[in-house]
Amino acid sequence: MGDLRIVVCGGGAANGVVGLIQEATRRGWSVDVTATQSGLDFFEKSEVARASGKPVRTTYKFAPDGRRISPPADGLIVAPATFNTINKLAAGIADTYPLSSVAEVIGRGVPTVVVPAVNSALAARLPFRRAIDDLRSEGVRVLFGPEDGWEPLPPGQNDPRKFPWLRALDLVEEAFGLTTVDQVGVPLRA
Ligand SMILES: Cc1cc2nc3c(=O)[nH]c(=O)nc-3n(C[C@H](O)[C@H](O)[C@H](O)COP(=O)(O)O)c2cc1C
């Protein structure tokens, strides 16, 4: 299938990434996980590394055992994508390894799905709404809004169990298939 990069930010849903890794692996993806510094506080690093088979990357440094951690991505999912990361990403800020690597992957035209995890108060902010529009206009698939069945709830009402991890995987696979057809004229997948 290819290499799927998952970038995990500091949101309450982050812990569910293990389920995504397991399903993506089952579907034939090789998965590697990058986390923001805040994201590391939200899941058990060793559990995620065990599920993906690779160390979780947060900085430009390689893994302690010297292995190269992140293969070039064929697909990218940023989830849960925080208010902070979405706004910075759309504005082109690349002051951390996760932000700069995502910026580059998007710039390479790699199929990318961003799944915001924001409450309705944050979603109402103009910088956020502009960021979503800007990312979409760059071809990023932002899974968000009534048409996607993923809408922000008032602060304190979020249920991390409802986070649409598998829908993000379906969407990146759809985009992956389309991109492959566009680039070489034949679908990679049957
Ligand atoms: C328990 C807890 C849950 C949080 N959940 C979210 C969230 O779902 N979405 C969000 O945008 N920020 C959330 N935050 C705030 C972010 O962690 C914070 O803005 C952080 O700076 C984000 O950094 P990052 O974008 O580099 O991951 C949460 C913070 C805490 C303490």
Side-chain angles (χ1 to χ4, degrees), residues 8-144:
V8 183
C9 309
N15 188 24
V17 72
V18 173
L20 171 61
I21 297 167
Q22 288 167 341
E23 178 58 17
T25 305
R26 197 189 64 75
R27 294 190 195 182
W29 290 94
S30 163
V31 180
D32 82 284
V33 176
T34 293
T36 64
Q37 197 61 48
S38 304
L40 288 179
D41 292 337
F42 288 82
F43 61 83
E44 194 51 60
K45 206 168 155 182
S46 58
E47 198 188 332
V48 169
R50 200 176 318 119
S52 70
K54 299 183 195 74
V56 176
R57 194 167 190 186
T58 311
T59 69
Y60 288 94
K61 286 184 195 155
F62 281 32
D65 65 6
R67 270 192 293 164
R68 180 183 161 81
I69 304 178
S70 308
D74 300 305
L76 169 66
I77 295 175
V78 184
T82 51
F83 181 77
N84 175 58
T85 288
I86 290 167
N87 293 333
K88 288 170 95 172
L89 190 59
I93 296 170
D95 59 354
T96 62
Y97 171 72
L99 279 168
S100 84
S101 72
V102 170
E104 200 173 296
V105 171
I106 292 174
R108 281 202 285 122
V110 171
T112 297
V113 178
V114 170
V115 192
V118 296
N119 60 37
S120 55
L122 294 175
R125 292 291 316 282
L126 187 56
F128 175 81
R129 287 186 280 129
R130 282 190 181 137
I132 297 299
D133 288 346
D134 287 350
L135 289 169
R136 283 179 170 154
S137 71
E138 282 197 88
V140 173
R141 180 66 170 87
V142 183
L143 198 172
F144 193 69

